[in-house]
Amino acid sequence: MFPLLPLLPLLLLPSPSSAADFCVADFSGPTSPLGFSCKKESAVTASEFVFSGLGAAGNTNNIIKAAVTPAFAGQFAAVNGLGISAARLDLAPGGVVPLHTHPAASELLVVTQGVISAGFISSANTPYTATLRKGDAMVFPQGLLHYQVNAGGITAVAIVSFSSPSPGLQITDFALFANNLSTPLIQKVTFLDAEQILKLKKVLGGSG
C-alpha cells in the first residue's frame, strides 16, 4: 500500500488562488495581443459569467440581410483568456455572410432554425460545401475563407462558437471594395473589369 504520510505536507498546502482559474476582462486596464487585463478576483461577480444576448434576434435590415450578435471578450468579459467565445447568426431570407475569415479562431456553427448553405475553401483551393438544417453542425478551420447563405424561405438562425475569445473578422468583399484601394490596382489583383469594381465600390462605400 502506498504510504500517505509523505503526501501530507502537500495536502495541507493552501489551494491555489481562484484568480488563476479565469481572467475576467478589466475593460479599464491596458490590453495586449493576449487580450484584456484581468479584473481583480475580489471585484468579479457571478453575473459576469452569464451572457444573455444570444436569445434576441439581430437586425438583418442591411445589405447582406444578416446579423451577428457576438459574445466575444469585448462583450462577454468572462471568456477573456479562456480560448472560447460564441455568437448568434441571423440570416433573413436571401441573407448571406460573404466569403470571410477569422484569423485567430476555428469556428463551429450549429443551426437552430431554417436551412443554411455553408462551406469553406482549403489552402489547396478545394471547396467543402454542405446544406445544413436544424440540429446540423459544421466546422470551419481557422483562417480559411468560408461563407453562409440562407437556403430556405424563412429566417435561419445559428449559434456559433469560436476557439478564441477574439476570433477576428475580415470579409473579402469589404477588404477589396469598401476602402480606397485604387480601381487599377484591384483590376490587376482580381482580374475584374473597372466597371464591375466601381459598381461594387459604390454599393459598399469605397472610393478610388
Side-chain angles (χ1 to χ4, degrees):
M1 183 174 178
F2 190 81
L4 291 177
L5 193 58
L7 297 179
L8 284 178
L10 295 176
L11 296 174
L12 295 175
L13 286 174
S15 299
S17 168
S18 59
D21 295 335
F22 50 79
C23 178
V24 175
D26 179 358
F27 297 125
S28 66
T31 61
S32 76
L34 297 177
F36 294 96
S37 301
C38 302
K39 183 180 285 189
K40 290 183 179 179
E41 180 188 356
S42 59
V44 174
T45 64
S47 64
E48 291 176 283
F49 295 93
V50 178
F51 184 84
S52 301
L54 302 185
N59 182 8
T60 58
N61 185 25
N62 52 60
I63 189 172
I64 61 175
K65 299 181 180 179
V68 175
T69 304
F72 303 156
Q75 299 80 32
F76 189 12
V79 301
N80 184 55
L82 295 184
I84 57 170
S85 61
R88 171 182 172 137
L89 171 63
D90 290 275
L91 286 169
V96 56
V97 182
L99 280 173
H100 64 284
T101 68
H102 302 291
S106 294
E107 173 183 342
L108 176 68
L109 178 145
V110 181
V111 178
T112 61
Q113 175 180 298
V115 182
I116 295 177
S117 173
F120 67 88
I121 302 169
S122 74
S123 57
N125 294 321
T126 302
Y128 295 86
T129 65
T131 299
L132 309 174
R133 294 174 171 81
K134 183 178 179 179
D136 290 341
M138 186 170 185
V139 67
F140 305 92
Q142 180 174 339
L144 296 185
L145 286 167
H146 59 286
Y147 66 88
Q148 291 95 21
V149 178
N150 187 328
I154 65 170
T155 295
V157 180
I159 299 297
V160 188
S161 59
F162 297 93
S163 62
S164 168
S166 300
L169 171 67
Q170 185 172 42
I171 299 176
T172 306
D173 290 340
F174 287 67
L176 285 170
F177 308 114
N179 52 41
N180 62 356
L181 274 178
S182 72
T183 295
L185 177 60
I186 297 175
Q187 280 184 277
K188 291 179 181 178
V189 299
T190 64
F191 307 109
L192 294 173
D193 60 57
E195 182 181 359
Q196 184 64 31
I197 294 169
L198 291 171
K199 177 182 177 181
L200 290 167
K201 280 180 172 288
K202 183 177 181 180
V203 169
L204 297 177
S207 61

